[in-house]
Amino acid sequence: MATERTLSIIKPDATRRNLTGKINAKFEDAGLRIIAQKRIQLTKAQAGEFYKVHAERPFFDELTTFMASEPVVVQVLEGESAIAKNREVMGATNPAEAEAGTIRAEFAESVGENSVHGSDAPETAKEEISFFFSGLELVG
């Protein structure tokens, strides 16, 4: 297994409820290291740029409005097979389908307000990490 890096976002529904520490504990308990982290407030335009792959989907406006509604925590996780591990820890997008013990099963409020985002592939991870972090900020 290769050591990888992946982007993680703790979304507005989770930061509003002060769940950052509980969510990060789940990542760390799964063997992932947080090597960069910051709390930011996205504008709707920044959220739109980040989620531009979804621009033609019917939920795009709702998604970008939500992501700009409250602060988020953006972070880089590192570890063996970090992308797959992060997605496993997050759980299914629909919290009703997420396995017990996953972040979304425990903390998500709905399919749209599902507490976390994670990269889905190595190429996506690289692009998403560089959207929020310079190389100097990755201190793993």
Side-chain angles (χ1 to χ4, degrees):
M1 298 285 167
T3 297
E4 294 177 326
R5 291 178 175 172
T6 188
L7 184 79
S8 167
I9 301 176
I10 301 176
K11 293 181 177 181
D13 61 298
T15 62
R16 180 183 72 247
R17 293 178 290 143
N18 203 30
L19 297 173
T20 301
K22 290 178 181 179
I23 290 171
N24 282 338
K26 287 191 171 288
F27 293 134
E28 291 176 331
D29 289 347
L32 296 167
R33 292 179 61 223
I34 300 167
I35 64 164
Q37 181 182 69
K38 55 189 165 186
R39 184 179 179 96
I40 61 172
Q41 176 75 52
L42 292 170
T43 64
K44 187 168 169 64
Q46 289 167 329
E49 180 61 25
F50 181 76
Y51 284 107
K52 66 185 173 191
V53 67
H54 299 303
E56 300 303 318
R57 299 209 173 155
F59 59 82
F60 180 74
D61 185 62
E62 183 180 348
L63 172 63
T64 56
T65 299
F66 166 63
M67 290 300 291
S69 69
E70 303 255 354
V72 298
V73 174
V74 293
Q75 54 196 10
V76 179
L77 306 177
E78 182 179 76
E80 294 294 319
S81 301
I83 295 165
K85 177 80 66 177
N86 180 34
R87 296 184 74 72
E88 179 183 316
V89 172
M90 288 190 308
T93 302
N94 182 343
E97 298 171 2
E99 288 189 34
T102 63
I103 292 167
R104 289 175 173 152
E106 289 189 27
F107 304 123
E109 295 185 313
S110 67
V111 173
E113 295 187 11
N114 60 25
S115 299
V116 286
H117 164 91
S119 304
D120 62 1
E123 304 78 26
T124 311
K126 185 176 181 180
E127 183 178 322
E128 290 182 345
I129 290 168
S130 68
F131 187 90
F132 292 107
F133 295 96
S134 73
L136 292 173
E137 294 175 294
L138 306 176
V139 292

